[in-house]
Amino acid sequence: AQSVAQPEDQVNVAEGNPLTVKCTYSVSGNPYLFWYVQYPNRGLQFLLKYITGDNLVKGSYGFEAEFNKSQTSFHLKKPSALVSDSALYFCAANDYKLSFGAGTTVTVRA
Amino acid sequence: EPEVTQTPSHQVTQMGQEVILRCVPISNHLYFYWYRQILGQKVEFLVSFYNNEISEKSEIFDDQFSVERPDGSNFTLKIRSTKLEDSAMYFCASRWGHEQYFGPGTRLTVT
């Protein structure tokens, strides 16, 4: 069985400050890991993925994520957050059948 | 850029009625999915579909649910007799390589 945990329900940061959204995973075999973002009344929008290769993955809108096998983590990061980054972020594992974390609401204040 | 589309965006139905949620996946994708998100809860896998048959389904996907690809473009989810607890946002997705592309969702409200 596989599972994904997002330990923080909410993350609040000031615009221009670094943003980190945490994710840990438990999967059998090689992990395929993803980050999605959901804006109000919208679908899930793909941000980035880790399949294999470099542990630091770069994605859309300036986001990146670091795969850490020893800590079974895949934290999402952005060096300088924007107000427009305020949304609901989901970490997910596997590709044939995504298992989602509970989601983290990010609020970036001006 | 091609995208997954879903209709309707919002469906209100009475308990016990049948509903069909429609999806048009991206045209050259071969794997299709339905997920649901009950308000305030995480997104849950319902079913995957490949080569005109179900490849995997969750325990949520009981006999009340069915999926179909009636033609070369549409992918439908049918709920035969809706229950109050079926109220949720239903997302369709199609997959290319390792990435799943999601539609905007259909909000189903069962009264």
Side-chain angles (χ1 to χ4, degrees), chain B residues 32-95:
Chain B
F32 313 117
Y33 302 81
W34 284 100
Y35 293 83
R36 79 170 185 192
Q37 183 183 29
I38 295 172
L39 188 63
Q41 299 185 23
K42 66 169 66 176
V43 178
E44 302 172 288
F45 166 79
L46 289 178
V47 65
S48 59
F49 191 86
Y50 171 72
N51 200 26
N52 281 321
E53 60 183 27
I54 291 173
S55 48
E56 190 169 354
K57 59 184 180 180
S58 73
E59 59 188 26
I60 302 168
F61 194 88
D62 61 22
D63 292 344
Q64 292 299 313
F65 291 87
S66 62
V67 289
E68 195 177 35
R69 187 155 163 83
D71 52 43
S73 59
N74 290 285
F75 179 51
T76 61
L77 174 69
K78 182 193 292 186
I79 308 175
R80 245 178 291 279
S81 178
T82 51
K83 302 187 283 286
L84 293 176
E85 53 265 37
D86 293 327
S87 295
M89 181 75 93
Y90 288 81
F91 293 106
C92 173
S94 64
R95 182 165 68 89

Side-chain angles (χ1 to χ4, degrees), chain A residues 33-44:
Chain A
L33 300 166
F34 305 83
W35 276 101
Y36 285 84
V37 60
Q38 185 180 28
Y39 296 99
N41 300 315
R42 302 285 297 276
L44 297 162

